[in-house]
Amino acid sequence: MVNVIWMFMAIVGIVYAMFNGTMEEVNKALFESANEAVKLSIGLISILVFWLGIMKIAEEAGILKVLTRLLRPVVVRIFPEIPKDHPALGYILSNFTANIFGLGNAATPLGIKAMEQMKELSGTDTASRSMITFLAINTAGLTIIPTTIISIRMQYHSVSPTEIVGTTIIATGISLISALLLDRFFYYRSTRRKK
Amino acid sequence: MGVITAISTWLIPSFLLIVLITATWKKIPAYELFVEGGKEGVKLAFSLLPFLVGMLVSISILRSSGALEALINFISPLLMLIGVPPDIVPLALVRPISGNAALGVTSELIATHGPDSFIGRLASTMQGSTDTTLYILTVYFGAVGIKKMRYAVKVGLLADLVGIIVSIIIVTLIFG
């Protein structure tokens, strides 16, 4: 499906530009955005190196295990496929924690680590059930305090920059629950189809 | 807000401290482990690069050609019928595709309508309540080499739709 979306965006854009005289902009944007993507990836190096380095120590020191043990009852229910003592749970939890506190920088490397562990469990290049559940939670978002938005509101002299925290939490919560329900629904549909 | 900002700034250094103290206590070669783990980070960043280039280029073609805007103009009247304010439509469509673009649209909406207007509050809530689905799927699946995403895209985009609808309802109820 990403294949379809990817090709759709590019093809529609180029065909539209043919008839609307925006080919020059498209041509320019092509290389600018490629450049932008490379910068983004290079920028990720520092964060990835730092966090994967620290988490390696944390894993070795047994800190991930402690974290997993504390929150295990909840997570085991969300991820029934992952064995109870598997390090994947530790990384999943650290990713959630980082997300909740709005530390997007830290969340990405931890999430990738969690995905790696889940891939080891499944051993194929097909997304496993746990991976999809994990990403469903991530795409729905876990932010409690939307720091970026608050700072933008401050810049534009809001009387109460944080007044949207409440509505954001409710909206996040409901979309999170629906992401989990949708995930379950599509999972059971896919197992039924196999039979 | 002060407390929350303080927690966010203290969290990482404190975590670092706990990790290092535990490592010292357990006599673990922390520096060697850090370097070992860090090496994976370098590899990872480079393996992500083609995925990001591909996705960002495709998105930029759609945006720069004007097709995205045309699409938004085309869909707006339909969405207005079900009660979606027309000003918010671009944000709703862009949010799952591009995080930076969405942030741009949100800032623009806040700038033109004011942060304390209905649109300003709605844009803020919408921006804060979901994450960039396409980016997350690209990065996470790309990093570990997953080729078949199965129903992940459907779940992500449908959850976004729910998030948008819920944002509109909540903001209308509370601030409307």
Coordinates of all heavy atoms in Angstrom, one line a residue, chain A residues 13-91:
Chain A
G13 N 1.5 14.2 -9.2 CA 2.2 15.5 -9.2 C 2.8 15.9 -10.6 O 2.6 17.0 -11.1
I14 N 3.5 14.9 -11.2 CA 4.1 15.2 -12.5 C 3.0 15.5 -13.6 O 3.2 16.4 -14.3 CB 5.0 14.0 -12.9 CG1 6.2 13.9 -11.9 CG2 5.6 14.2 -14.3 CD1 7.1 12.7 -12.1
V15 N 2.0 14.6 -13.6 CA 1.0 14.8 -14.6 C 0.3 16.2 -14.4 O 0.0 16.9 -15.4 CB -0.1 13.7 -14.6 CG1 -1.3 14.0 -15.5 CG2 0.6 12.4 -15.0
Y16 N 0.0 16.5 -13.1 CA -0.6 17.8 -12.9 C 0.2 19.0 -13.3 O -0.2 19.9 -13.9 CB -0.9 17.9 -11.4 CG -1.7 19.1 -11.0 CD1 -3.1 19.1 -11.0 CD2 -1.1 20.3 -10.6 CE1 -3.9 20.2 -10.6 CE2 -1.8 21.4 -10.3 CZ -3.2 21.4 -10.3 OH -4.0 22.5 -9.9
A17 N 1.6 18.8 -13.1 CA 2.5 19.9 -13.5 C 2.5 20.1 -15.0 O 2.6 21.2 -15.5 CB 3.9 19.6 -13.0
M18 N 2.3 19.0 -15.8 CA 2.3 19.1 -17.2 C 1.2 20.0 -17.7 O 1.5 20.8 -18.7 CB 2.0 17.7 -17.8 CG 3.2 16.7 -17.8 SD 2.6 15.1 -18.5 CE 4.1 14.2 -18.3
F19 N 0.1 20.0 -17.1 CA -1.0 20.8 -17.6 C -1.2 22.1 -16.9 O -2.0 22.9 -17.2 CB -2.3 20.0 -17.4 CG -2.4 18.7 -18.2 CD1 -2.1 17.5 -17.7 CD2 -2.6 18.8 -19.6 CE1 -2.1 16.3 -18.5 CE2 -2.6 17.7 -20.4 CZ -2.3 16.4 -19.8
N20 N -0.4 22.3 -15.8 CA -0.6 23.6 -15.1 C 0.7 24.5 -15.1 O 0.8 25.4 -14.3 CB -1.0 23.3 -13.7 CG -2.4 22.8 -13.7 OD1 -3.4 23.5 -13.7 ND2 -2.6 21.5 -13.6
G21 N 1.7 24.1 -15.9 CA 2.9 24.9 -16.0 C 3.7 25.1 -14.7 O 4.3 26.1 -14.5
T22 N 3.7 24.0 -13.9 CA 4.5 24.1 -12.7 C 5.7 23.2 -12.7 O 6.3 22.9 -11.7 CB 3.6 23.7 -11.4 OG1 2.8 22.6 -11.7 CG2 2.7 24.9 -11.0
M23 N 6.0 22.8 -13.9 CA 7.1 21.8 -14.1 C 8.4 22.3 -13.5 O 9.2 21.6 -12.9 CB 7.3 21.5 -15.6 CG 7.9 20.1 -15.8 SD 7.1 18.8 -14.9 CE 6.2 18.0 -16.2
E24 N 8.6 23.6 -13.7 CA 9.9 24.2 -13.1 C 10.0 24.0 -11.6 O 11.0 23.7 -11.1 CB 9.9 25.7 -13.5 CG 11.3 26.3 -13.6 CD 11.2 27.7 -14.2 OE1 10.6 27.8 -15.3 OE2 11.8 28.6 -13.6
E25 N 8.8 24.3 -10.9 CA 8.8 24.1 -9.5 C 9.1 22.7 -9.1 O 9.8 22.4 -8.2 CB 7.4 24.6 -8.9 CG 7.2 26.1 -8.8 CD 6.7 26.7 -10.0 OE1 6.8 26.1 -11.1 OE2 6.1 27.8 -9.9
V26 N 8.4 21.8 -9.9 CA 8.6 20.4 -9.6 C 10.1 20.0 -9.7 O 10.7 19.3 -8.8 CB 7.7 19.5 -10.5 CG1 8.1 18.0 -10.4 CG2 6.3 19.7 -10.2
N27 N 10.7 20.4 -10.8 CA 12.1 20.1 -11.1 C 13.0 20.6 -9.9 O 13.9 19.9 -9.5 CB 12.5 20.8 -12.4 CG 13.7 20.2 -12.9 OD1 14.0 19.0 -12.7 ND2 14.5 21.0 -13.6
K28 N 12.7 21.8 -9.5 CA 13.5 22.4 -8.4 C 13.3 21.6 -7.1 O 14.2 21.3 -6.4 CB 13.0 23.9 -8.2 CG 14.2 24.8 -7.8 CD 13.7 26.2 -7.7 CE 13.8 26.8 -6.3 NZ 12.9 27.9 -6.1
A29 N 12.0 21.3 -6.8 CA 11.6 20.6 -5.6 C 12.2 19.2 -5.5 O 12.6 18.8 -4.4 CB 10.1 20.6 -5.4
L30 N 12.3 18.6 -6.6 CA 12.9 17.2 -6.7 C 14.2 17.2 -6.0 O 14.5 16.3 -5.1 CB 13.1 16.9 -8.2 CG 12.1 16.0 -8.9 CD1 12.5 15.8 -10.3 CD2 12.0 14.7 -8.2
F31 N 15.1 18.1 -6.4 CA 16.5 18.0 -5.9 C 16.6 18.6 -4.5 O 17.4 18.2 -3.7 CB 17.4 18.6 -6.9 CG 17.4 17.8 -8.2 CD1 16.7 18.2 -9.3 CD2 18.0 16.5 -8.2 CE1 16.7 17.4 -10.4 CE2 18.0 15.7 -9.3 CZ 17.3 16.1 -10.5
E32 N 15.8 19.6 -4.3 CA 15.8 20.2 -3.0 C 15.4 19.2 -1.9 O 16.0 19.1 -0.8 CB 14.9 21.5 -2.9 CG 15.6 22.7 -3.3 CD 14.6 23.9 -3.4 OE1 13.5 23.8 -3.0 OE2 15.1 24.9 -3.9
S33 N 14.3 18.5 -2.2 CA 13.8 17.6 -1.2 C 14.7 16.4 -1.0 O 14.9 15.9 0.1 CB 12.4 17.1 -1.6 OG 12.4 16.4 -2.8
A34 N 15.4 15.9 -2.1 CA 16.4 14.9 -2.0 C 17.5 15.3 -1.0 O 17.9 14.6 -0.2 CB 16.9 14.5 -3.3
N35 N 17.9 16.5 -1.2 CA 18.9 17.1 -0.4 C 18.5 17.2 1.1 O 19.2 16.9 2.0 CB 19.3 18.5 -0.9 CG 20.6 19.1 -0.4 OD1 21.4 18.3 0.0 ND2 20.7 20.4 -0.5
E36 N 17.2 17.6 1.2 CA 16.6 17.7 2.5 C 16.6 16.4 3.3 O 17.0 16.3 4.4 CB 15.2 18.2 2.4 CG 14.5 18.7 3.6 CD 15.2 19.9 4.2 OE1 15.7 20.8 3.4 OE2 15.3 20.0 5.4
A37 N 16.3 15.3 2.5 CA 16.2 14.0 3.1 C 17.6 13.5 3.5 O 17.7 12.9 4.6 CB 15.6 13.0 2.1
V38 N 18.6 13.8 2.7 CA 20.0 13.4 3.1 C 20.4 14.2 4.4 O 20.9 13.6 5.3 CB 21.0 13.7 2.0 CG1 22.4 13.5 2.4 CG2 20.7 12.9 0.8
K39 N 20.1 15.5 4.4 CA 20.4 16.2 5.6 C 19.7 15.6 6.9 O 20.3 15.5 7.9 CB 19.9 17.7 5.4 CG 21.0 18.6 4.8 CD 20.5 20.0 5.0 CE 20.9 20.8 3.8 NZ 20.0 22.0 3.5
L40 N 18.4 15.3 6.7 CA 17.7 14.7 7.8 C 18.3 13.4 8.3 O 18.5 13.2 9.5 CB 16.2 14.4 7.3 CG 15.2 14.0 8.3 CD1 14.9 15.1 9.2 CD2 13.9 13.6 7.6
S41 N 18.7 12.5 7.3 CA 19.4 11.3 7.7 C 20.7 11.5 8.4 O 21.0 10.9 9.4 CB 19.6 10.4 6.5 OG 18.5 10.4 5.6
I42 N 21.5 12.5 7.9 CA 22.8 12.8 8.5 C 22.6 13.3 9.9 O 23.3 13.0 10.8 CB 23.6 13.8 7.6 CG1 23.8 13.3 6.2 CG2 24.9 14.1 8.3 CD1 24.8 12.1 6.1
G43 N 21.5 14.2 10.0 CA 21.2 14.7 11.3 C 20.8 13.7 12.3 O 21.0 13.8 13.5
L44 N 20.3 12.6 11.8 CA 19.9 11.5 12.7 C 21.0 10.7 13.3 O 20.9 10.1 14.3 CB 19.0 10.5 11.9 CG 17.5 10.8 11.8 CD1 16.8 9.8 10.9 CD2 16.8 10.8 13.1
I45 N 22.2 10.8 12.6 CA 23.4 10.0 13.0 C 23.7 10.3 14.5 O 23.9 9.4 15.3 CB 24.6 10.3 12.1 CG1 24.3 9.8 10.7 CG2 25.8 9.6 12.7 CD1 25.5 10.0 9.8
S46 N 23.8 11.6 14.8 CA 24.2 12.0 16.2 C 23.3 11.4 17.2 O 23.7 10.8 18.2 CB 24.3 13.5 16.3 OG 23.1 14.1 16.0
I47 N 22.0 11.5 17.0 CA 21.0 11.0 17.9 C 21.0 9.5 18.0 O 21.0 9.0 19.1 CB 19.6 11.5 17.5 CG1 19.5 13.0 17.3 CG2 18.5 11.0 18.4 CD1 18.4 13.4 16.4
L48 N 21.1 8.9 16.8 CA 21.1 7.4 16.8 C 22.3 6.9 17.6 O 22.3 5.9 18.4 CB 21.1 6.9 15.4 CG 19.7 7.0 14.7 CD1 19.9 6.6 13.2 CD2 18.7 6.1 15.3
V49 N 23.5 7.4 17.3 CA 24.7 7.0 17.9 C 24.6 7.2 19.4 O 24.9 6.2 20.2 CB 26.0 7.7 17.4 CG1 27.2 7.4 18.2 CG2 26.2 7.3 15.9
F50 N 24.2 8.4 19.8 CA 24.1 8.6 21.3 C 23.2 7.7 22.0 O 23.6 7.0 22.9 CB 23.7 10.1 21.5 CG 23.5 10.4 23.0 CD1 24.6 10.6 23.8 CD2 22.2 10.5 23.5 CE1 24.4 10.9 25.1 CE2 22.0 10.7 24.8 CZ 23.1 10.9 25.7
W51 N 22.0 7.5 21.5 CA 21.0 6.7 22.2 C 21.2 5.2 22.1 O 21.0 4.5 23.1 CB 19.5 7.1 21.7 CG 19.1 8.3 22.4 CD1 18.9 9.5 21.9 CD2 18.7 8.4 23.8 NE1 18.5 10.4 22.8 CE2 18.4 9.7 24.0 CE3 18.6 7.5 24.8 CZ2 18.0 10.2 25.3 CZ3 18.2 7.9 26.1 CH2 17.9 9.2 26.3
L52 N 21.7 4.8 20.9 CA 22.0 3.3 20.9 C 23.2 3.0 21.7 O 23.2 1.9 22.3 CB 22.2 2.9 19.4 CG 20.9 3.0 18.5 CD1 21.1 2.4 17.2 CD2 19.7 2.3 19.2
G53 N 24.1 3.9 21.9 CA 25.2 3.7 22.7 C 24.8 3.6 24.2 O 25.1 2.7 24.9
I54 N 24.0 4.6 24.6 CA 23.5 4.6 26.0 C 22.7 3.4 26.3 O 22.8 2.7 27.4 CB 22.7 5.9 26.3 CG1 23.6 7.1 26.2 CG2 22.0 5.8 27.7 CD1 24.7 7.2 27.2
M55 N 21.8 3.1 25.3 CA 20.9 1.9 25.6 C 21.6 0.6 25.6 O 21.2 -0.3 26.3 CB 19.8 1.9 24.5 CG 18.8 3.0 24.7 SD 18.2 3.3 26.3 CE 17.0 2.0 26.5
K56 N 22.7 0.5 25.0 CA 23.6 -0.7 25.0 C 24.1 -0.9 26.5 O 24.0 -2.0 27.0 CB 24.7 -0.6 24.1 CG 25.5 -1.8 23.9 CD 25.0 -2.6 22.7 CE 25.6 -4.0 22.7 NZ 25.0 -4.8 21.7
I57 N 24.5 0.2 27.1 CA 25.0 0.1 28.5 C 23.8 -0.2 29.4 O 23.9 -1.1 30.2 CB 25.6 1.5 28.9 CG1 26.6 2.0 28.0 CG2 26.2 1.3 30.3 CD1 27.1 3.4 28.3
A58 N 22.6 0.4 29.1 CA 21.4 0.2 30.0 C 21.0 -1.2 29.9 O 20.6 -1.8 30.9 CB 20.3 1.1 29.5
E59 N 21.1 -1.8 28.7 CA 20.7 -3.2 28.5 C 21.6 -4.1 29.3 O 21.2 -5.0 30.0 CB 20.7 -3.5 27.0 CG 19.9 -4.8 26.6 CD 20.1 -5.1 25.2 OE1 20.6 -4.3 24.4 OE2 19.8 -6.3 24.8
E60 N 22.9 -3.9 29.1 CA 23.9 -4.7 29.7 C 23.8 -4.6 31.3 O 24.0 -5.5 32.0 CB 25.3 -4.2 29.2 CG 26.3 -5.2 29.1 CD 26.1 -6.3 28.1 OE1 25.4 -6.1 27.1 OE2 26.7 -7.4 28.3
A61 N 23.4 -3.4 31.7 CA 23.4 -3.2 33.2 C 22.1 -3.7 33.8 O 21.9 -3.6 35.0 CB 23.5 -1.7 33.5
G62 N 21.1 -4.1 32.9 CA 19.9 -4.7 33.4 C 18.8 -3.7 33.7 O 17.8 -4.0 34.3
I63 N 19.0 -2.4 33.3 CA 18.0 -1.4 33.6 C 16.7 -1.6 32.7 O 15.6 -1.5 33.2 CB 18.6 0.0 33.3 CG1 19.6 0.3 34.3 CG2 17.5 1.1 33.3 CD1 20.4 1.5 34.1
L64 N 16.9 -2.1 31.5 CA 15.7 -2.4 30.7 C 14.8 -3.5 31.3 O 13.6 -3.4 31.2 CB 16.1 -2.9 29.3 CG 16.5 -1.8 28.3 CD1 16.8 -2.4 26.9 CD2 15.4 -0.8 28.2
K65 N 15.5 -4.4 31.9 CA 14.7 -5.5 32.5 C 13.9 -5.0 33.7 O 12.7 -5.5 33.8 CB 15.7 -6.6 33.1 CG 15.9 -7.8 32.1 CD 16.7 -8.9 32.7 CE 17.3 -9.7 31.6 NZ 18.6 -10.2 32.0
V66 N 14.4 -4.1 34.5 CA 13.7 -3.6 35.6 C 12.4 -2.8 35.1 O 11.3 -3.0 35.6 CB 14.6 -2.6 36.4 CG1 13.7 -1.9 37.5 CG2 15.7 -3.4 37.0
L67 N 12.7 -2.0 34.0 CA 11.6 -1.2 33.4 C 10.5 -2.2 32.9 O 9.3 -1.9 33.1 CB 12.1 -0.4 32.3 CG 11.2 0.6 31.6 CD1 10.8 1.7 32.6 CD2 11.8 1.2 30.4
T68 N 10.9 -3.2 32.2 CA 10.0 -4.2 31.7 C 9.1 -4.8 32.8 O 7.9 -5.0 32.7 CB 10.7 -5.3 30.9 OG1 11.7 -4.7 30.2 CG2 9.8 -6.1 30.0
R69 N 9.8 -5.2 33.9 CA 9.1 -5.9 34.9 C 8.0 -5.1 35.6 O 7.0 -5.5 35.9 CB 10.2 -6.3 36.0 CG 9.9 -7.7 36.6 CD 11.1 -8.2 37.4 NE 12.1 -8.7 36.5 CZ 13.4 -8.7 36.9 NH1 13.8 -8.2 38.1 NH2 14.4 -9.2 36.1
L70 N 8.4 -3.7 35.7 CA 7.4 -2.8 36.3 C 6.1 -2.7 35.5 O 5.0 -2.7 36.1 CB 8.0 -1.4 36.4 CG 9.1 -1.2 37.6 CD1 9.7 0.1 37.5 CD2 8.4 -1.4 38.9
L71 N 6.2 -2.6 34.2 CA 5.0 -2.3 33.4 C 4.5 -3.5 32.6 O 3.7 -3.4 31.8 CB 5.3 -1.1 32.5 CG 5.5 0.2 33.1 CD1 6.2 1.2 32.2 CD2 4.2 0.8 33.5
R72 N 5.1 -4.7 32.9 CA 4.8 -5.8 32.1 C 3.3 -6.2 32.0 O 2.8 -6.5 30.9 CB 5.6 -7.0 32.7 CG 5.5 -8.2 31.8 CD 6.0 -9.5 32.5 NE 7.5 -9.4 32.6 CZ 8.2 -10.0 33.5 NH1 7.5 -10.7 34.4 NH2 9.5 -9.9 33.6
P73 N 2.6 -6.1 33.1 CA 1.2 -6.6 33.0 C 0.4 -5.9 31.9 O -0.4 -6.5 31.2 CB 0.6 -6.2 34.4 CG 1.8 -6.1 35.3 CD 2.9 -5.7 34.5
V74 N 0.6 -4.6 31.7 CA -0.1 -3.9 30.7 C 0.3 -4.3 29.3 O -0.4 -4.6 28.4 CB 0.1 -2.4 30.9 CG1 -0.9 -1.6 29.9 CG2 -0.1 -1.9 32.3
V75 N 1.7 -4.3 29.1 CA 2.2 -4.4 27.8 C 2.0 -5.8 27.3 O 1.8 -6.0 26.1 CB 3.7 -4.1 27.8 CG1 4.3 -4.0 26.4 CG2 3.9 -2.8 28.5
V76 N 2.1 -6.8 28.2 CA 1.9 -8.2 27.7 C 0.6 -8.4 27.1 O 0.4 -9.1 26.1 CB 2.1 -9.2 28.9 CG1 1.5 -10.5 28.6 CG2 3.6 -9.3 29.3
R77 N -0.4 -7.7 27.6 CA -1.8 -7.8 27.0 C -1.9 -7.2 25.6 O -2.5 -7.6 24.8 CB -2.8 -7.1 28.0 CG -3.9 -8.1 28.3 CD -4.7 -7.6 29.5 NE -4.3 -8.4 30.7 CZ -4.6 -8.0 31.9 NH1 -5.3 -6.9 32.1 NH2 -4.2 -8.7 32.9
I78 N -1.1 -6.1 25.4 CA -1.1 -5.4 24.1 C -0.3 -6.2 23.1 O -0.6 -6.2 21.9 CB -0.6 -3.9 24.3 CG1 -1.5 -3.2 25.3 CG2 -0.7 -3.2 22.9 CD1 -1.0 -1.8 25.6
F79 N 0.8 -6.8 23.6 CA 1.6 -7.6 22.7 C 1.7 -9.0 23.1 O 2.7 -9.5 23.6 CB 3.1 -7.0 22.7 CG 3.1 -5.6 22.2 CD1 3.2 -4.5 23.2 CD2 3.2 -5.3 20.9 CE1 3.2 -3.2 22.7 CE2 3.3 -4.0 20.5 CZ 3.3 -2.9 21.4
P80 N 0.6 -9.8 22.8 CA 0.5 -11.2 23.3 C 1.6 -12.1 22.6 O 1.9 -13.2 23.1 CB -0.9 -11.6 22.9 CG -1.3 -10.7 21.8 CD -0.6 -9.4 22.1
E81 N 2.1 -11.7 21.5 CA 3.1 -12.5 20.7 C 4.5 -12.5 21.3 O 5.3 -13.4 21.0 CB 3.1 -12.1 19.3 CG 2.1 -12.7 18.4 CD 2.3 -12.3 16.9 OE1 3.2 -11.5 16.6 OE2 1.5 -12.8 16.1
I82 N 4.8 -11.5 22.1 CA 6.2 -11.4 22.5 C 6.3 -12.1 23.9 O 5.6 -11.9 24.8 CB 6.6 -9.9 22.7 CG1 6.4 -9.1 21.4 CG2 8.0 -9.7 23.2 CD1 6.6 -7.7 21.5
P83 N 7.3 -13.0 24.0 CA 7.6 -13.7 25.2 C 7.8 -12.7 26.4 O 8.4 -11.7 26.2 CB 8.8 -14.5 24.9 CG 9.0 -14.6 23.5 CD 8.3 -13.4 22.9
K84 N 7.4 -13.2 27.6 CA 7.4 -12.3 28.8 C 8.7 -11.6 29.1 O 8.8 -10.5 29.6 CB 6.9 -13.0 30.0 CG 5.4 -12.9 30.1 CD 4.9 -13.7 31.3 CE 3.4 -13.7 31.4 NZ 2.9 -14.5 32.4
D85 N 9.8 -12.3 28.9 CA 11.1 -11.8 29.3 C 12.0 -11.3 28.2 O 13.1 -11.0 28.3 CB 11.9 -12.8 30.1 CG 11.4 -12.9 31.5 OD1 11.3 -11.8 32.2 OD2 11.1 -14.0 32.0
H86 N 11.4 -11.1 27.0 CA 12.1 -10.7 25.8 C 12.5 -9.2 25.9 O 11.7 -8.4 26.3 CB 11.2 -11.0 24.6 CG 12.1 -11.0 23.3 ND1 12.4 -9.9 22.6 CD2 12.6 -12.1 22.7 CE1 13.1 -10.3 21.6 NE2 13.3 -11.6 21.6
P87 N 13.8 -8.9 25.5 CA 14.2 -7.5 25.5 C 13.4 -6.6 24.7 O 13.3 -5.4 24.9 CB 15.6 -7.6 25.0 CG 15.8 -9.0 24.4 CD 14.8 -9.8 25.1
A88 N 12.6 -7.1 23.7 CA 11.8 -6.2 22.9 C 10.8 -5.4 23.7 O 10.6 -4.2 23.5 CB 11.0 -7.1 21.9
L89 N 10.3 -6.0 24.8 CA 9.4 -5.3 25.6 C 10.0 -4.1 26.3 O 9.4 -3.1 26.4 CB 8.8 -6.3 26.7 CG 7.8 -7.3 26.2 CD1 7.3 -8.2 27.4 CD2 6.6 -6.6 25.6
G90 N 11.3 -4.3 26.7 CA 12.0 -3.2 27.3 C 12.2 -2.0 26.4 O 11.9 -0.9 26.8
Y91 N 12.5 -2.3 25.1 CA 12.6 -1.2 24.2 C 11.3 -0.6 23.8 O 11.2 0.6 23.7 CB 13.3 -1.7 22.9 CG 14.8 -1.9 23.1 CD1 15.4 -3.1 23.1 CD2 15.6 -0.8 23.2 CE1 16.8 -3.3 23.3 CE2 17.0 -0.9 23.4 CZ 17.6 -2.1 23.5 OH 18.9 -2.2 23.7

